[in-house]
Amino acid sequence: MAQWTSAVGAAQLARLLNSQQERPAGPGTRRPPAYRALADGIRLLVLEGRVPVAARLPAERELALSLSVSRTTVAAAYEALRAEGFLESRRGAGSWTAVPAGNPLPARGLEPLPPETLGSMIDLGCAALPAPEPWLTRAVQGALEELPPYAHTHGDYPAGLPALRQTLADRYSARGIPTMPEQIMVTTGAMGAIDAICHLFAGRGERIAVESPSYANILQLMREAGARLVPVAMAEGLAGWDMDRWRQVLRDAAPRVAYVVADFHNPTGALADEDQRRQLVDAARSAGTVLVVDETMSELHLDEGFERPRPVCGFDPAGSTVITVGSASKAFWAGMRIGWVRAAPDVIRSLVAARAYADLGTPVLEQLAVNWLLSTGGWEQAVDVRRDQARENRDALVGALRRELPDWEFDVPRGGLTLWVRTGGLSGSRLAEVGERVGVRVPSGPRFGVDGAFEGYVRLPFTVGGAVADEAAARLAAAARLVRSGASGGAEGPRTFVA
C-alpha cells in the first residue's frame, strides 16, 4: 500500500521552486551543485508546509522536463533528500515527502507555539496579544451571573444568543448601518464564520478572489475547502487596493466570492479609504460576486486623531453583495473564540440551516462574556488598553528593526497588528528556517501568497515590546547573517531571554 496521501504535479512543484529567490553570489562565493540547490529547495517547501508531508513527488523524468535540468540532477536531489529523511520511496509506489525522526511536522497555518517553549523562543508567528485584564475576568464573572436562565435550556443556539445578536445589531446601527438581529449570526471565531460562508457560496472548484498577499490561515482554509484562489495584487506599501486590477479580475474571472480585509489589512496593514470601498462594492455587484469583508482588525487604530472610515457594508444598502465578518479575537483576546456574520436575513437563515451539519452553535458562556463587555462599556475600556499596548509594541519593534536591520524595508501602518517587511533580497523561507535555530519564530512571505509569491518578505506582528523587541530584532539580524553567508548549521545558537 502506498504511503502518500496527496500528490504534487511536476508543473506545480516547478512553480513553487522557481518562486524561491536565490541570494546573489558575492565575490569568491561558490554556488552549490544543481542537485544540492534542488534538494534544498524541496526541503524548504516541506519545512514551510507549502508541500505537505506524505505528498507524492513527480517522477524524476517529469520534474527534469519541467525544470529544464537533467534527470541525473533530479535523481541526485531525491537521493540526498532520502539520506536526510525528507523523502521516502518504494518500488512501484514512487517517492513521497517526509520529515526526519524527531522533527516537528510543519504547520500549514500560523499556529502559536506551545507555552512551554516560550522561554527560549520568541514567537513572531502569531499576531495575538495576552488577555487584557481585569476585563477578561470581569467579563467571565458577569457571564456566570447571567448563565442560570440559559442553563435550564438545551443550550443550542445555532444563530447565537438573542441578547448578543441584538447587541451586535445595535452597534452596527450606531455606526449608521441600520441592522436587525435577524442579520446577525454568532460563530466560533472569524475562521468559523468564513468557513461557513465558503461552504455555502463557494463549493469545491469555485473561484475565490483574494488579495495578494492575504491572511495565511484563511488562504489555507479556502484551499482545503477545494476553492480555486484567484490572487489580486495589492498596490505597493500602504496604498492598498488597485481598483483597476479588481475590476478586471472580477469581470474576467467571475469569482463566486471575493475575500478582503479592508481595515488594517493582514499582513500589510493597509487601510481602504471610502472611495476604494465604494468602488469595490460596485465592482462586486456588477460581477455578481459575493464580497466577504473581514473586519476583525477594524477597531485596532493606533494613531491619535484617527477617524474610522465607513464600514464596507455601508456602501451596500440593499444588502445583496456584502457579507461582513467580525470577531472578538483580535481586538480583545484570541482565546475569546467569538465571531459574527452580518448579512441579509436570507443569507443568515441559510448559514444557520447549514450549521446543523457543522458545529451546531457557539459556546454560551463565551457569548455571555462578550455581551457583558459590549453592553457595559468594558469592551471600549479593554480595547483602549489593547491599542496602547499594540502602539507601544509597534514603535519598539520599528525602532529595533531600523537599528539592527537597516536594509529591510517597510511602511509603518496606522493600525492593526502586523508589519509587512521586505528582507533586503534574502529568502523569507530561509530566514524562517534559520530563525528557528537562533531562537525567533517568524512566518515567511510565501505563506501569505498564492503559488509561492512573496519569497522576499516576512510578516512581523506587534506582539512584543521593550527589551523583547530588541532581542527579537537581534535574533533576526543573526538569522539574516547566517542566510547571507549560506551557512546550513546553527553557528549562532539562541540566546536565553529572561523577561
Side-chain angles (χ1 to χ4, degrees):
M1 179 178 177
Q3 302 298 306
W4 49 272
T5 57
S6 61
V8 181
Q12 179 187 6
L13 183 56
R15 285 198 303 273
L16 291 170
L17 289 165
N18 288 332
S19 74
Q20 296 175 332
Q21 291 182 351
E22 289 295 332
R23 176 178 57 85
T29 302
R30 295 179 61 186
R31 291 187 178 276
Y35 85 89
R36 183 70 261 173
L38 175 56
D40 288 345
I42 294 174
R43 176 174 53 84
L44 278 171
L45 292 174
V46 173
L47 289 172
E48 274 283 294
R50 290 155 62 200
V51 169
V53 174
R56 186 180 186 275
L57 295 186
E60 295 169 2
R61 188 184 302 277
E62 293 175 3
L63 185 57
L65 287 171
S66 291
L67 292 174
S68 299
V69 299
S70 71
R71 183 177 176 180
T72 303
T73 296
V74 177
Y78 278 13
E79 183 58 36
L81 290 168
R82 276 190 288 269
E84 296 163 5
F86 285 95
L87 197 67
E88 295 181 11
S89 304
R90 192 168 65 196
R91 187 179 298 277
S95 300
W96 55 91
T97 56
V99 291
N103 281 35
L105 288 175
R108 299 302 302 275
L110 300 177
E111 294 83 357
L113 283 172
E116 62 268 20
T117 67
L118 296 180
S120 59
M121 182 75 71
I122 298 176
D123 185 6
L124 298 181
C126 186
L129 293 164
E133 289 287 23
W135 291 275
L136 175 62
T137 298
R138 291 176 182 173
V140 173
Q141 291 170 341
L144 288 171
E145 293 174 2
E146 298 291 332
L147 182 61
Y150 296 95
H152 294 291
T153 73
H154 50 62
D156 285 336
Y157 295 88
L161 295 184
L164 180 54
R165 296 175 75 195
Q166 181 68 63
T167 299
L168 292 168
D170 290 345
R171 288 176 68 82
Y172 279 104
S173 297
R175 292 192 65 193
I177 315 297
T179 304
M180 305 178 294
E182 292 79 9
Q183 292 176 262
I184 301 292
M185 181 177 86
V186 181
T187 63
T188 307
M191 291 286 288
I194 294 169
D195 184 52
I197 293 166
C198 288
H199 278 88
L200 180 64
F201 287 100
R204 185 166 293 275
E206 292 277 5
R207 293 185 180 92
I208 299 181
V210 294
E211 297 145 327
S212 184
S214 187
Y215 178 37
N217 287 343
I218 293 297
L219 294 180
Q220 190 59 31
L221 181 155
M222 292 173 176
R223 289 187 189 102
E224 294 184 358
R228 298 164 59 190
L229 301 184
V230 182
V232 186
M234 299 280 285
E236 285 294 319
L238 298 178
W241 293 259
D242 185 322
M243 293 315 307
D244 288 337
R245 289 175 179 166
W246 270 102
R247 277 188 289 268
Q248 180 180 357
V249 168
L250 293 178
R251 181 182 65 247
D252 296 347
R256 185 72 182 90
V257 171
Y259 168 76
V260 298
V261 186
D263 297 277
F264 308 120
H265 175 260
N266 187 354
T268 68
L271 176 71
D273 60 33
E274 295 204 354
D275 186 55
Q276 288 172 322
R277 295 168 188 239
R278 180 183 295 104
Q279 290 188 55
L280 191 56
V281 173
D282 290 345
R285 184 185 296 116
S286 298
T289 297
V290 175
L291 184 61
V292 179
V293 180
D294 186 333
E295 286 189 336
T296 53
M297 296 282 191
S298 66
E299 297 195 56
L300 291 176
H301 44 87
L302 306 183
D303 291 346
E304 296 295 332
F306 177 82
E307 292 188 13
R308 291 174 69 184
R310 193 177 185 194
V312 177
C313 59
F315 300 95
D316 180 36
S320 59
T321 300
V322 177
I323 297 178
T324 303
V325 172
S327 171
S329 298
K330 293 297 185 186
F332 185 74
W333 183 45
M336 190 68 78
R337 303 304 304 157
I338 299 295
W340 53 87
V341 177
R342 181 199 179 275
D346 62 318
V347 172
I348 295 297
R349 287 192 294 271
S350 296
L351 289 170
V352 171
R355 197 169 195 180
Y357 309 101
D359 63 354
L360 295 178
T362 303
V364 170
L365 189 63
E366 292 186 27
Q367 291 187 73
L368 290 171
V370 171
N371 192 57
W372 183 91
L373 286 165
L374 293 173
S375 58
T376 62
W379 177 272
E380 282 72 20
Q381 296 174 51
V383 173
D384 279 344
V385 170
R386 175 67 81 234
R387 293 190 193 109
D388 291 342
Q389 186 178 12
R391 183 186 308 111
E392 291 175 5
N393 288 354
R394 178 194 65 180
D395 296 345
L397 183 62
V398 165
L401 288 173
R402 286 175 172 162
R403 286 193 303 273
E404 296 283 348
L405 292 154
D407 59 327
W408 286 20
E409 302 173 37
F410 52 85
D411 292 297
V412 181
R414 301 189 65 190
L417 288 172
T418 57
L419 200 65
W420 186 236
V421 181
R422 192 192 302 266
T423 56
L426 299 180
S427 161
S429 297
R430 288 175 170 80
L431 282 167
E433 181 195 12
V434 175
E436 295 269 356
R437 297 203 297 270
V438 300
V440 60
R441 182 176 185 252
V442 56
S444 67
R447 288 185 178 274
F448 303 88
V450 177
D451 287 335
F454 307 110
E455 183 61 61
Y457 289 82
V458 294
R459 189 198 73 171
L460 304 178
F462 312 144
T463 52
V464 296
V468 185
D470 292 339
E471 179 67 11
R475 294 185 186 186
L476 285 170
R481 288 194 295 273
L482 287 172
V483 172
R484 286 193 189 95
S485 71
S488 59
E492 298 185 39
R495 289 177 284 174
T496 301
F497 178 78
V498 180

